[in-house]
Each structure stands twice: as C-alpha cells, then as structure tokens.
Amino acid sequence: FSVRPLSSTASTSLRRTTLEARKVPFSKYHGLGNDFILIDDRDKSEPSLTPEESAMLCHRNFGIGGDGVIFALQPPSESGDGADFDFTMRIYNSDGSEPEMCGNGIRCMAQFLKDLGESKSDDGAYQIHTLAGRIVPVMNEDGTITVDMGEPFLEAAKVPTTLEANAEHDSVVEQTLEANGKTWKCTAVGMGNPHAIFFVNDLEKDIDFEKDGPALEAHESFPAKTNVEFVQVKGDDHLIMKVWERGAGPTLACGTGACALTVAAMRAGKIPRGDQPVRVTLPGGDLWIEWRESDNKIYMTGPATFAFAGETKV
Ligand SMILES: N[C@H](CCC[C@H](N)C(=O)O)C(=O)O
C-alpha cells in the first residue's frame, strides 16, 4: 500500500505558520471501512474546506486519513422540483476531485445528522440534495440505514461513457475494451457517478488489481474517468467484488458501486432480474441492494459507524 507523497499545495499549507492556520472540528465515520471526514457546515451553502485542504486531511500519514471529506450543508435555496430538502451533501475524494454522489458517504452523513440531533421526518428519512439529485436515507430501528439511491443511468451518454451502446436504452452491456494489454468485457452503469463493471471467474486470479484498476479508471472511454468494479458471481442473490475507485484508488467498500454492479449483473443476465435483495460482499463487509421494478429505483441497506471526533488545523 504505497504512501502518496504530499502535493506541493498540501506541503505548503503544512508549513503554514500556526498563526494563519484555522481550527477545523471534524467527525470520522465509515461505511464498511470506506471512511470519511465529516464537516458540519449546516449553516453554509458552500464547503468550508478547499479540495486541496480536503486532500491533505485525507492523507493517511500527514493528515487525519480518509477516502474523502463530506460536507453537511444547508438545503438549496430553491429546490426546483418543489418539495423541500433537509440538507445538501457535497464530497471531495481523497485526491481532491468532486464526485456527484457517494453511497457509503450518504449513510455516514445520515448517521452524522442523527448524532447531531437533527430530527428526521416521521418515516425516519432525510431528504438530501446531491449533485446526483435527491437521495433519501432512512434510519432503520436496527441501526442500519436504507437509502433510496434513485434510478440507475443506463444510457451510455449519461454514465458517461463513449463506449458504443450495444443493448436496449442505448446502454453498454459486456462491451469489449482494451486496457493494460488485455481485452475486457465492460458493463457501464451510472449512479450519478460513473461505474465500469467487469465480471470475472476468480477475483484473485483473473485481475492484476494494482495495474488493471488505474488503467481502467483513466480509460479514454470514460471522459470523466470511472469507478472500477470487478465482480464474481457466487449465486443468484450473492455477488462479491473488489473496487478501484475514481479519485481514491482501492477502498474497502463502494456503495454506488454495489448498486451499479447489481444492475449490471441483472442486465448482463448473470443473476435473475427481480426485486429480491442481493447480497453484495465487499472487502469491508456486506451491503444489501434491491432494484425495485415498481419504481425502477435502487435501495441500498448497510451500516454507518462513528469512529472518533476531533479538531485539526488547515
Ligand atoms: N470515488 C467515487 C465517489 C465515492 C463513491 C464511493 N465511496 C461510494 O460509496 O459510493 C467517485 O469519484 O465517483
């Protein structure tokens, strides 16, 4: 696990005198080991940290350590679709890039809001505005969180990918692409953020993860780069995966990825299409994913865990 050297910006800010540095309270949460620094910006409309400051805080030696920084912000002034939002979520990956959504992260934000004493609506839900649209986490009695992740984006242009569509809805299902000297069969699904899914017979033997991951993340067929999920089918309702995330590299879990690969598995005929919950085993643990035919939405259920709180300086 290579330690990334600090960027010049980060090392400059590390040298910043303590007089200029400002204090930043934070809380650390994780979803199956996909870990995030949470910032309480409920009184703000924009994140209180820059992408560079966020990347520095994510550094596992020079900072707090994390796969990203998540900001709990005030709801949008005019929500456009009429119904109210409770909050806005923004997130920076550990490299400082800003994705549209984060599945484990939205569960961590919901738990963060609950721990901050924010009341939920009667059904235990928070209406969260994100760059991927409306996302609704519901706090369950058993401590898990079920998230309405919205509908998947199947149309190639909406993933986005430039791979040639080869299936209905102008979508990409097991389309060939070349990367790292190998020919791959790629199924592309958007969850607000892009996902390239590759089914293999053996997760350990069939991929050279540290080389194939980054080569596929930056593949020219994905103009916004992509998250990369390698999937092995264990049964009609059980998939196991390894994930190389866009802007974060190898993580222990990826919630949007678990949703995207469940859709991909059904559309590629690897498992039956139906409402049944699918167990997705990630390196950090299990998520339960349902793609409901009634509303075409994807529902993800899993944990969010408080790790520690503290104060840092940037
Ligand atoms: N790295 C991802 C964002 C975080 C997604 C992942 N951590 C999740 O739980 O969905 C991207 O750039 O699209």
Side-chain angles (χ1 to χ4, degrees):
F1 195 85
S2 58
V3 173
R4 250 175 325 117
L6 267 185
S7 69
S8 57
T9 317
S11 52
T12 306
S13 47
L14 266 186
R15 284 197 300 272
R16 184 180 294 161
T17 63
T18 49
L19 291 179
E20 292 169 37
R22 69 179 193 278
K23 290 180 182 175
V24 178
F26 69 88
S27 294
K28 191 85 192 304
Y29 285 76
H30 72 85
L32 301 178
N34 186 205
D35 60 333
F36 301 97
I37 298 159
L38 274 96
I39 305 294
D40 179 3
D41 280 344
R42 286 176 292 170
D43 59 347
K44 297 181 182 68
S45 60
E46 291 295 322
S48 55
L49 298 173
T50 65
E52 293 74 20
E53 289 168 339
S54 300
M56 191 186 74
L57 294 185
C58 287
H59 200 284
R60 296 207 183 267
N61 302 89
F62 296 102
I64 300 161
D67 290 326
V69 181
I70 288 176
F71 303 89
L73 297 154
Q74 59 193 210
S77 44
E78 62 286 330
S79 52
D81 65 3
D84 287 342
F85 287 99
D86 298 319
F87 299 96
T88 295
M89 179 182 88
R90 298 272 297 275
I91 168 176
Y92 293 135
N93 284 314
S94 56
D95 73 349
S97 60
E98 180 170 14
E100 299 79 358
M101 231 306 271
C102 179
N104 290 313
I106 196 91
R107 296 199 318 275
C108 290
M109 176 157 153
Q111 189 62 51
F112 182 47
L113 292 169
K114 182 181 179 188
D115 294 346
L116 287 170
E118 284 289 354
S119 61
K120 305 172 289 308
S121 56
D122 302 347
D123 60 0
Y126 292 109
Q127 300 291 327
I128 310 286
H129 171 72
T130 74
L131 294 180
R134 179 185 297 273
I135 304 289
V136 182
V138 176
M139 315 306 281
N140 299 321
E141 290 299 315
D142 67 358
T144 64
I145 301 166
T146 295
V147 185
D148 165 359
M149 297 286 281
E151 299 182 63
F153 295 97
L154 303 179
E155 187 185 337
K158 290 187 178 169
V159 173
T161 181
T162 57
L163 285 173
E164 187 175 341
N166 63 345
E168 60 177 350
H169 306 301
D170 286 331
S171 62
V172 171
V173 176
E174 301 242 85
Q175 176 66 280
T176 53
L177 69 79
E178 305 296 324
N180 199 23
K182 301 175 192 174
T183 300
W184 300 85
K185 285 197 173 300
C186 178
T187 301
V189 176
M191 289 299 298
N193 59 350
H195 293 272
I197 293 104
F198 303 89
F199 294 99
V200 297
N201 296 320
D202 186 313
L203 277 177
E204 297 314 315
K205 295 182 186 139
D206 295 351
I207 53 175
D208 182 355
F209 186 63
E210 296 286 336
K211 290 195 174 70
D212 295 334
L216 291 162
E217 174 196 358
H219 196 273
E220 61 185 6
S221 300
F222 292 90
K225 300 194 335 182
T226 187
N227 297 286
V228 181
E229 285 85 19
F230 302 102
V231 184
Q232 184 177 332
V233 180
K234 294 297 278 184
D236 279 357
D237 59 0
H238 187 197
L239 302 166
I240 60 173
M241 66 91 94
K242 288 184 80 169
V243 57
W244 182 280
E245 282 197 34
R246 176 182 66 169
T251 63
L252 293 179
C254 181
T256 51
C259 296
L261 67 85
T262 299
V263 171
M266 291 183 178
R267 301 202 71 237
K270 307 292 183 185
I271 62 174
R273 173 76 178 93
D275 282 8
Q276 76 283 1
V278 175
R279 177 186 171 198
V280 177
T281 297
L282 306 96
D286 288 346
L287 289 174
W288 294 91
I289 310 295
E290 298 168 60
W291 182 18
R292 291 186 193 159
E293 291 177 305
S294 56
D295 58 8
N296 192 42
K297 287 187 173 183
I298 299 172
Y299 294 82
M300 167 189 65
T301 299
T305 308
F306 172 76
F308 56 89
E311 184 178 90
T312 186
K313 286 183 179 175
V314 291

